[in-house]
Structures are given as structure tokens and as C-alpha cells.
Amino acid sequence: MTELDKFDYRLLELLQQNSRLTGNELSAQVGLSSAACLRRVQRLRESGVIERDVAVVSPKVFGKRMMIIVLLTMDRDRPDRYMLMREEFGKMPEVVQCHHVTGAHDFVLRIQVADMDEYSAFVDRVFHQPYIKRYESLAVLGSLK
């Protein structure tokens, strides 16, 4: 595992906000030279600390203005059903995040839809299965971070 210092942590913090910052921009905020910042970022990528760079696309561009967090509990503890559910959720465009979790629930989903009618249709299509014990929907009022 790569050992990280305060400069690495600061670089990671900045890159999580904007992965397109230049060496000069990083340098100004980290306190190292541009070349040193870029070498560190390259090392962080090569070592796997930075897994990938992605573009975060606003769902509103596609008319998906409503975010719902769903806590889903399966009927039984069946690993084969969990694998199937993970595959199915991965194919659903409404599901933008899926986490298989420990505790009282089995999955935490982030659903992005246009409105409550679209979410209701999603619920009817997906959650009314005999292997789903219950689900809890949390409409997101706003995102802070």
C-alpha cells in the first residue's frame, strides 16, 4: 500500500473536486512545485490510490430532477439472489448508485427519476417481487456534499 503524506491527502482532496486541475493550479494550493504535484498525482494513479477519473453529469440535463434513496431488505439471506439483484440494478438506468450493505438492510440505492410518477412506475416494476421483504424510500431535498 502506498504511504500518503499531507501533500498527497491535499492533492486527493483537490482532485476529488476537480480532476482537471493543472499542475500550476495544484501547486498554488498545495505548496509544492507544479512538477512535484504532477509526479505525485501520477504515482497516486499508478499505485491505484486514484482508481479512475470520471465526469459527473448532471441528471437534470436528462430531465431527472428527483433523487430517491432506497433502503431495500431482501426476504431471505441468499447469496445467489444478491448477485442477481446486483446485476439487475447495474442494468437499470434509474439506479445511479447501488451499495450492498451490512445491517438491517441489504442494499442502499440512489435512484434518479424525473418525478414521483416515474418513481412509482419504477417501484411497481422492481420492488413488488416475492424475494423483496420491504423497501423504504427517502426523497432527497438537497445535497450538501
Side-chain angles (χ1 to χ4, degrees):
M1 184 162 167
T2 303
E3 200 169 313
L4 305 177
D5 62 19
K6 67 178 184 175
F7 297 110
D8 294 322
Y9 284 113
R10 181 66 177 136
L11 287 166
L12 291 169
E13 181 183 341
L14 292 167
L15 292 170
Q16 285 181 86
Q17 296 303 312
N18 181 359
S19 66
R20 297 182 67 175
L21 290 173
T22 66
N24 288 336
E25 292 168 326
L26 292 170
S27 173
Q29 296 187 57
V30 174
L32 296 173
S33 71
S34 174
C37 287
L38 293 175
R39 277 194 304 274
R40 284 172 175 265
V41 170
Q42 184 62 31
R43 179 179 50 83
L44 292 168
R45 284 190 174 107
E46 289 173 355
S47 66
V49 172
I50 297 175
E51 294 180 356
R52 62 187 173 186
D53 294 291
V54 299
V56 179
V57 179
S58 171
K60 294 175 184 175
V61 170
F62 303 103
K64 306 298 184 181
R65 298 187 177 280
M66 179 173 270
M67 183 189 312
I68 310 284
I69 304 297
V70 177
L71 307 174
L72 180 71
T73 306
M74 303 293 285
D75 185 42
R76 293 194 179 99
D77 192 19
R78 288 188 39 202
D80 60 326
R81 176 54 64 188
Y82 293 143
M83 290 299 292
L84 182 61
M85 292 304 296
R86 290 197 315 222
E87 288 175 20
E88 288 180 23
F89 290 142
K91 296 174 187 172
M92 296 175 186
E94 300 91 347
V95 179
V96 295
Q97 288 184 344
C98 174
H99 304 279
H100 188 189
V101 298
T102 63
H105 306 286
D106 297 305
F107 290 96
V108 176
L109 307 171
R110 188 177 118 206
I111 310 293
Q112 202 76 43
V113 291
D115 53 30
M116 197 52 81
D117 289 337
E118 186 177 336
Y119 181 63
S120 181
F122 177 85
V123 165
D124 290 343
R125 188 177 82 244
V126 177
F127 296 148
H128 295 297
Q129 305 294 331
Y131 47 83
I132 294 179
K133 183 176 182 179
R134 68 185 212 94
Y135 68 94
E136 182 177 344
S137 303
L138 306 167
V140 176
L141 299 175
S143 297
L144 308 174
K145 185 174 178 181

